[in-house]
């Protein structure tokens, strides 16, 4: 959570610092702030709410300096307020910093600092860092930062400036992401490269326990562990800036739903050998293939939407690759005593590659000797770097907080992985061909579903007065019921529950009446008849039904109040099509209810706290 940015160089810092916050706003948006050193005088502005509130304030102020830092916040310690917004400073307002992460021992540190005479202005954990640096400061900012960090426990991406040691930014990283863009006589700092794209394509990804001292003429990276200098070369990023524009859509959320066909094309490009029914995953080819052949158990670990993709993956992999699969929630996994050995593959699934719970589970799995793999969208992210091997989604940046195109791609990658592992085992050439041929049809089949856009918009209008929804599905579409409900909650704040259709009779059916509609995901698959019986149960209790079914199903009109059709495909791939109407439904309901569907309240895109 939280986005940080920094600039030092030949241009006015505030332009980049504001633009970067706008691009990082998905990481948190309850308050924001900026500080610029103008002729060595720190000028700080903060505001509550989204970045445009800060931008308005900045218009009337002189922020002319060539060095500064900025921050967009997702509150953890202390409510969203100007006092709690970053940047935070020491007692005298000489040292300023922005922070992403959590300082776990801040209470003890704060108590000691107060006893030493420091006065605090905020309720945040972050402010202790500024006072610690102050207490160690003897003229060199980097030395004071080194000493302060030795006392800190927790996670941080930090950028610090000081009026008493100006012309430099000192940064440090542990467990929270931080990148640096290298321009000509200028440096850009940010939580992720999307904030830097367009300014430079030369990026350095900082690793844990690295501290860097940056001036406009050069930078130095030092290990916080042994104080040795680290030589690190930059990466060239290939990133299309138009990908972070709305390109004619009213919202990123809608744009990203409509990008799903493209997302699938990008995820499968160069990865299918149709004539051999084979899949080629370059990221896994670096591994000893016998190691992959020997896997006898897979644990998929992810949070939220990515976890639901994992559930679909579990069904696909067990049925077609014949490997036992379990799906774990990132925040639970490491608190249990998971049974893992070297033949267990732990696959973490994450769009951002920075989700703290998933990352912590990954470390635990590594410690226990599992083979660790990743399905990650953000290139160079921590999970991508920490896993032994993996597969990138390649769907481009996902800006809307609620994940859509990444989810579709996660299922696609899990299906590709099923063929990859399955063909090493018992999967026949015919089956390999059948699945890969069908995966290749997915972009055009999704296009077909998206043609229902107008109908779904009308449905959203019709149902916008309802405050409760039940989403139901079986087998491959049970996770889609969960995902449909999650999306509706997130972007409309309307209460929704996802439920396996067969579980309805064990409790949720008690809620059904004429004011509690049910959305059934019931394509013509091996469990269609069972879903039909559950629809009967809902109808018998006067419940309204919206049904997502396969084209050509006419009988459904006898039971459902509203019907959305999806094209026919392999049962295992139906989730990729059935989730699209649910995404559109949530988007249009949200717009109908005047919700900010790109940045729902209380959420952040990268959940970097546990
Ligand atoms: C919901 C949503 C979240 C994320 C979850 C994991 O729409 O986007 O539930 O799926 O926070 O995020 P990543 O995939 O970045 O690990």
């Amino acid at each position: 959570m939280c986005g940080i940015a920094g600039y030092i160089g030949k241009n006015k810092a505030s332009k980049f610092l504001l633009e970067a916050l706008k691009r990082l706003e998905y990481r948190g948006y309850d308050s924001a702030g900026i500080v610029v050193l103008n002729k060595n005088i720190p000028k700080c502005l903060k505001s509550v709410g989204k970045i445009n509130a800060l931008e308005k304030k900045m218009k009337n102020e002189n922020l002319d300096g060539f060095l500064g830092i900025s921050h967009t916040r997702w509150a953890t310690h202390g409510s969203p307020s100007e006092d709690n917004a970053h940047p935070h400073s020491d007692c005298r307002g000489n040292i300023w910093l922005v922070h992403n992460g959590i300082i776990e021992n801040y209470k003890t540190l704060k108590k000691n600092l107060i006893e030493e005479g420091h006065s605090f202005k905020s309720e945040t954990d972050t402010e202790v860092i500024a006072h610690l640096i102050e207490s160690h400061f003897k003229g060199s900012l980097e030395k004071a930062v080194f000493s302060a960090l030795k006392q800190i426990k927790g996670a941080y991406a930090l950028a610090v400036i000081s009026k008493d040691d100006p012309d430099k930014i000192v940064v440090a990283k542990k467990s929270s992401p931080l990148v640096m863009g290298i321009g000509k006589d200028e440096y850009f700092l940010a939580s992720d490269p999307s904030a830097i794209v367009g300014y430079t394509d030369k990026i350095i990804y900082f690793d844990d326990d690295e501290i860097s001292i940056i001036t406009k003429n050069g930078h130095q990276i030092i290990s916080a562990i042994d104080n040795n200098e680290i030589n690190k070369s930059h990466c060239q990023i290939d990133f299309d800036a138009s990908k972070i524009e709305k390109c004619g859509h009213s919202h990123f959320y809608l744009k990203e739903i409509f990008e799903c066909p493209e997302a699938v094309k990008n995820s499968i490009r160069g990865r299918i050998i149709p004539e051999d029914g084979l899949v080629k995953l370059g990221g896994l080819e670096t591994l000893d293939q016998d190691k992959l052949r020997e896997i006898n158990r897979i644990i998929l670990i992810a949070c939220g939407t990515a976890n639901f993709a994992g559930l679909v993956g579990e069904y696909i992999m067990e049925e077609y690759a014949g490997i036992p699969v379990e799906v774990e929630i990132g925040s639970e996994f490491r608190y249990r005593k998971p049974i893992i050995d070297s033949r267990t593959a732990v696959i973490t699934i994450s769009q951002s590659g920075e989700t703290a719970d998933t990352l912590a589970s990954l470390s635990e799995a590594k410690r226990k000797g599992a083979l660790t793999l990743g399905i990650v969208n953000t290139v160079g992210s921590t999970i991508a770097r920490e896993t032994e091997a993996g597969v990138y989604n390649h769907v481009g940046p996902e800006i809307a907080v609620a994940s859509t195109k990444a989810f579709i791609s996660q299922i696609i990658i899990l299906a590709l992985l099923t063929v990859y592992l399955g063909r090493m085992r018992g999967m026949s050439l015919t089956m390999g061909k059948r699945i890969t041929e069908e995966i290749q049809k997915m972009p055009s089949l999704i296009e077909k579903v998206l043609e229902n856009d107008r109908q779904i918009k009308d449905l959203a209008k019709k149902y916008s007065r309802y405050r409760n929804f039940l989403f139901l599905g079986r087998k491959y579409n049970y996770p889609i019921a969960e995902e449909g409900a999650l999306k509706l909650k997130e972007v409309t704040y309307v209460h929704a529950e996802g439920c396996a259709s067969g579980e309805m009779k064990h409790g949720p059916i008690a809620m059904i009446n004429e004011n509690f509609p049910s959305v059934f995901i019931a394509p013509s698959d091996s469990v269609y008849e069972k879903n039909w019986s559950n629809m009967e149960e809902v109808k018998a209790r006067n419940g309204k039904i919206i049904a997502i079914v396969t084209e050509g199903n006419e009988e459904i009109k006898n039971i459902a109040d509203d019907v959305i059709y999806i094209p026919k495909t392999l049962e295992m791939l139906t989730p990729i099509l059935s989730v699209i109407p649910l995404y559109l439904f949530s988007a249009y309901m949200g717009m109908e209810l005047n919700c900010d569907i790109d940045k729902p309240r209380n959420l952040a895109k990268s959940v970097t706290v546990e």
Side-chain angles (χ1 to χ4, degrees):
M1 329 297 247
C2 301
I4 70 171
Y7 177 86
I8 182 163
K10 59 192 175 194
N11 293 310
K12 285 188 186 162
S14 56
K15 184 174 171 290
F16 169 74
L17 293 176
L18 178 67
E19 174 68 26
L21 290 191
K22 287 184 185 168
R23 295 193 195 172
L24 294 171
E25 198 172 12
Y26 70 86
R27 299 180 66 88
Y29 36 80
D30 59 41
S31 54
I34 181 171
V35 64
V36 167
L37 268 192
N38 190 359
K39 296 191 184 124
N40 293 357
I41 309 290
K43 173 84 191 165
C44 175
L45 289 177
K46 298 182 184 187
S47 67
V48 175
K50 297 188 177 144
I51 309 295
N52 50 13
L54 180 69
E55 185 173 22
K56 254 191 209 151
K57 261 192 177 174
M58 285 170 66
K59 282 202 175 113
N60 310 319
E61 299 284 344
N62 174 9
L63 282 169
D64 275 348
F66 297 88
L67 177 171
I69 51 181
S70 60
H71 188 272
T72 179
R73 180 168 185 250
W74 185 85
T76 56
H77 296 65
S79 59
S81 68
E82 288 199 10
D83 281 343
N84 289 332
H86 300 217
H88 289 288
S89 75
D90 64 340
C91 297
R92 293 167 302 144
N94 290 351
I95 294 164
W96 290 85
L97 58 85
V98 288
H99 168 222
N100 167 211
I102 287 186
I103 305 305
E104 287 162 10
N105 59 338
Y106 88 101
K107 280 193 193 138
T108 323
L109 292 171
K110 187 168 177 174
K111 187 170 163 284
N112 295 343
L113 286 159
I114 289 172
E115 276 166 19
E116 284 166 24
H118 290 261
S119 62
F120 280 74
K121 299 177 262 318
S122 77
E123 305 156 84
T124 64
D125 53 330
T126 299
E127 197 184 342
V128 296
I129 316 173
H131 293 278
L132 272 182
I133 297 174
E134 178 182 27
S135 69
H136 290 287
F137 190 85
K138 293 192 184 76
S140 157
L141 183 60
E142 58 270 30
K143 280 191 183 152
V145 171
F146 264 91
S147 306
L149 292 183
K150 295 221 182 320
Q151 291 176 261
I152 285 171
K153 284 198 193 114
Y156 48 80
L158 266 186
V160 195
I161 59 172
S162 167
K163 115 186 219 302
D164 294 329
D165 189 10
D167 307 323
K168 66 173 69 153
I169 304 181
V170 178
V171 300
K173 171 187 155 39
K174 191 181 199 105
S175 304
S176 294
L178 183 63
V179 299
M180 176 167 73
I182 306 172
K184 193 166 165 7
D185 303 325
E186 58 184 349
Y187 284 92
F188 309 88
L189 292 157
S191 298
D192 81 45
S194 70
I196 293 175
V197 169
Y199 291 91
T200 176
D201 56 0
K202 294 194 186 95
I203 295 280
I204 284 186
Y205 291 93
F206 288 112
D207 285 309
D208 279 356
D209 297 308
E210 287 180 351
I211 297 182
S212 183
I213 302 113
I214 306 149
T215 67
K216 74 176 181 343
N217 302 318
H219 71 277
Q220 219 188 346
I221 303 175
I222 313 271
S223 157
I225 297 168
D226 56 18
N227 286 16
N228 284 334
E229 185 154 356
I230 299 168
N231 273 324
K232 220 171 180 176
S233 44
H234 67 258
C235 316
Q236 208 79 23
I237 49 164
D238 173 20
F239 197 98
D240 178 358
S242 72
K243 293 264 179 344
I244 45 180
E245 307 295 334
K246 287 190 194 133
C247 301
H249 289 274
S250 59
H251 297 84
F252 282 112
Y253 188 57
L254 268 178
K255 176 190 171 224
E256 286 160 8
I257 297 169
F258 279 91
E259 275 175 357
C260 285
E262 193 60 31
V264 174
K265 280 185 203 160
N266 290 335
S267 296
I268 65 177
R269 185 165 295 123
R271 287 174 165 169
I272 290 177
I273 310 169
E275 61 282 10
D276 297 330
L278 284 175
V279 162
K280 201 175 143 44
L281 297 171
L284 299 189
E285 278 161 16
T286 52
L287 289 173
D288 173 359
Q289 298 300 291
D290 282 339
K291 218 172 167 182
L292 291 176
R293 227 166 259 124
E294 282 160 18
I295 294 171
N296 63 3
R297 182 159 163 252
I298 291 177
I299 303 179
L300 300 170
I301 305 182
C303 299
T305 284
N307 188 275
F308 298 145
L311 285 175
V312 177
E314 176 184 18
Y315 284 47
I316 299 179
M317 285 179 149
E318 290 200 336
E319 185 163 351
Y320 291 94
I323 309 172
V325 180
E326 288 148 63
V327 184
E328 296 272 358
I329 297 169
S331 55
E332 286 293 322
F333 177 75
R334 72 194 182 113
Y335 297 108
R336 301 195 299 100
K337 205 173 160 210
I339 296 159
I340 285 177
D341 63 28
S342 59
R343 293 182 69 193
T344 307
V346 164
I347 307 179
T348 42
I349 309 170
S350 175
Q351 187 287 127
S352 62
E354 302 294 348
T355 300
D357 289 322
T358 310
L359 199 48
S361 304
L362 170 61
S363 308
E364 189 60 24
K366 261 184 167 174
R367 209 168 292 126
K368 294 198 157 43
L371 169 69
T372 57
L373 307 175
I375 298 175
V376 175
N377 187 39
T378 309
V379 176
S381 58
T382 312
I383 295 178
R385 286 179 291 134
E386 294 287 313
T387 40
E388 285 164 69
V391 186
Y392 278 121
N393 295 96
H394 291 313
V395 301
E398 202 180 50
I399 306 292
V401 166
S403 185
T404 53
K405 63 176 178 173
F407 174 76
I408 296 283
S409 165
Q410 285 157 354
I411 299 178
I412 288 285
I413 302 292
L414 286 161
L416 292 179
L417 194 56
T418 300
V419 177
Y420 189 96
L421 296 174
R423 294 282 281 122
M424 287 178 166
R425 295 169 164 77
M427 187 188 287
S428 66
L429 165 68
T430 319
M431 183 53 78
K433 275 179 140 175
R434 178 88 186 85
I435 298 175
T436 50
E437 276 165 12
E438 202 63 21
I439 289 177
Q440 285 177 306
K441 288 186 201 153
M442 279 297 128
S444 64
L445 296 182
I446 299 173
E447 297 279 7
K448 253 190 123 188
V449 184
L450 287 167
E451 285 169 15
N452 297 328
D453 178 51
R454 184 74 241 173
Q455 183 213 353
I456 297 168
K457 199 172 187 170
D458 292 343
L459 272 185
K461 203 179 176 107
K462 174 174 168 188
Y463 283 90
S464 61
R465 71 177 181 83
Y466 292 93
R467 298 277 69 86
N468 299 288
F469 285 83
L470 191 58
F471 286 74
L472 296 141
R474 276 178 185 263
K475 202 176 169 185
Y476 284 109
N477 282 291
Y478 154 57
I480 300 308
E482 294 278 12
E483 171 66 355
L486 178 65
K487 282 297 173 297
L488 196 69
K489 282 185 266 203
E490 274 184 293
V491 305
T492 70
Y493 319 137
V494 166
H495 168 239
E497 287 191 30
C499 178
S501 308
E503 278 290 292
M504 182 180 65
K505 57 187 176 292
H506 298 290
I509 197 166
M511 300 185 292
I512 299 296
N513 64 19
E514 64 281 11
N515 292 317
F516 205 126
S518 297
V519 181
F520 271 91
I521 303 124
S524 304
D525 57 12
S526 60
V527 288
Y528 172 73
E529 303 300 334
K530 304 274 176 205
N531 268 322
W532 182 276
S533 306
N534 300 130
M535 285 189 251
E536 294 279 12
E537 288 157 11
V538 167
K539 262 292 132 202
R541 284 150 187 92
N542 293 325
K544 296 215 162 8
I545 294 176
I546 303 173
I548 297 171
V549 297
T550 308
E551 276 168 2
N553 181 344
E554 288 301 319
E555 67 167 2
I556 195 73
K557 293 179 181 160
N558 298 325
I559 195 160
D561 297 271
D562 290 285
V563 179
I564 302 167
Y565 286 106
I566 58 170
K568 193 167 171 40
T569 182
L570 280 183
E571 181 170 354
M572 64 174 264
L573 297 175
T574 52
I576 293 169
L577 304 181
S578 61
V579 79
I580 300 284
L582 304 184
Y583 284 166
L584 290 171
F585 186 68
S586 64
Y588 291 128
M589 273 273 281
M591 287 161 75
E592 202 55 49
L593 299 172
N594 286 323
C595 300
D596 184 343
I597 63 171
D598 280 347
K599 296 186 211 96
R601 70 185 178 209
N602 303 341
L603 296 176
K605 181 92 181 146
S606 270
V607 186
T608 56
V609 293
E610 282 184 44

